[in-house]
Amino acid sequence: MNGIFITLEGPDGSGKSTIMELITDYFNNKNIDFITTREPGGTEIGEKIRNIVLDKDNKNMAAETEALLYAASRGQHVDEKILPALKAGKVVLCERFVLSSLAYQGVGRSLGIEKVKMINDFAIKGIVPDLTLFFHVDPISTLDRKTEEKGGDRLEREGSQFHQEVYEGYMKLLKLYPENIEIIDASKSIEEVFNQSIYHIESILKKREE
Ligand code: TMP
C-alpha cells in the first residue's frame, strides 16, 4: 500500500476547513492523485450517522452512544473509502480521525482515552495516519465566533468547560502519541498556516518518492 494518509485535527473553529480547501487547490495544481474527506461522515452511511450525532435535538444522547456512533461512521469510512484509496496509491486528506474521538469522547465526555481507543481500534483495520496536522488555537475565542455565526451543532453548543476539556485532552494526547503529529500554529494568518501545513506535507511526499 503506497498511498499517504494525512489527517487534519484540532478544536472546533481552528480553521481546518479553510486550509483543507487551500491544500486541495495545491494538490490539483501539482497533479497529485488524491481524495478529500471528513469525519464524521465521508460516506453515504457515515453522513447519515453524522446527522444523528450532530443533531442539536438529540439532547439526551448517552456519551457511550456518541462514541460508538463516531466509531461506526469511521469503520464505514475506512472500509468503503480510505482503505481502497490508499491501496490505489492515492493521498487521502481527511478532516478529523481517531484523535478527535480520543479528545472529545475520551477526555471531553470522560469516557477514558483507553476505552475509546479500544472501540476505534476495532473499527479502523489497523489504519493510522502517516501525518497528522494539529491546528493549535485557543479553543474558546474561535468557538464563540463559530456558534455566534451559525447557532452551532450539538457538539459546538456544549459549554466552554467541555471545549476547554477537549483542548486539554488534545494537549495530553500530543504528549502520549506524538508520532507523525505536527503542530501548526493556527493563530497566524491563513497564508502562514497554509505554508506551515505545506512544509510538512511536502516532506512526507518527498519521503514517499525516496
Ligand atoms: P466538524 O465540525 O469538524 O465537522 O466536526 C463535527 C463535530 O464532531 C466537532 O464538534 C467535533 C466532533 N467530533 C467528535 O466529537 N468526535 C469525533 O470522533 C469526530 C470525528 C468529531
Side-chain angles (χ1 to χ4, degrees), residues 4 16 21 25 47 57 65 74 96 110-111 117-118 126 131 142 158 175 195:
I4 298 180
K16 295 179 299 301
E21 281 172 26
D25 293 343
E47 291 294 327
D57 292 334
T65 309
R74 187 163 294 131
R96 297 192 181 279
S110 306
L111 290 175
K117 186 173 178 301
M118 213 170 66
L131 171 66
T142 51
E158 285 294 338
K175 289 201 185 106
N195 288 339

Side-chain angles (χ1 to χ4, degrees), residues 10-16 96 104 137-139 142-143 146 153 155-156 162-163 166 170:
D12 283 273
S14 55
K16 295 179 299 301
R96 297 192 181 279
Y104 282 78
V137 74
D138 167 22
T142 51
L143 191 76
K146 208 169 169 186
D153 61 41
L155 272 281
E156 283 164 356
F162 174 75
H163 286 282
V166 169
Y170 268 129

Side-chain angles (χ1 to χ4, degrees), residues 9-13 16-17 38-41 50 53-54 66-67 70-71 73-74 95-105 109 116 120 143 146 150 153-157 162-163 166 170:
E9 284 281 357
D12 283 273
K16 295 179 299 301
S17 307
R38 68 164 181 185
E39 292 203 346
R50 179 183 177 95
V53 82
L54 295 182
E66 183 181 291
Y70 279 113
S73 163
R74 187 163 294 131
E95 201 174 328
R96 297 192 181 279
F97 198 58
V98 176
L99 207 65
S100 283
S101 281
L102 302 184
Y104 282 78
Q105 284 66 54
R109 298 291 191 212
V116 175
N120 277 278
L143 191 76
K146 208 169 169 186
K150 293 192 273 176
D153 61 41
R154 198 174 60 84
L155 272 281
E156 283 164 356
R157 280 167 175 245
F162 174 75
H163 286 282
V166 169
Y170 268 129

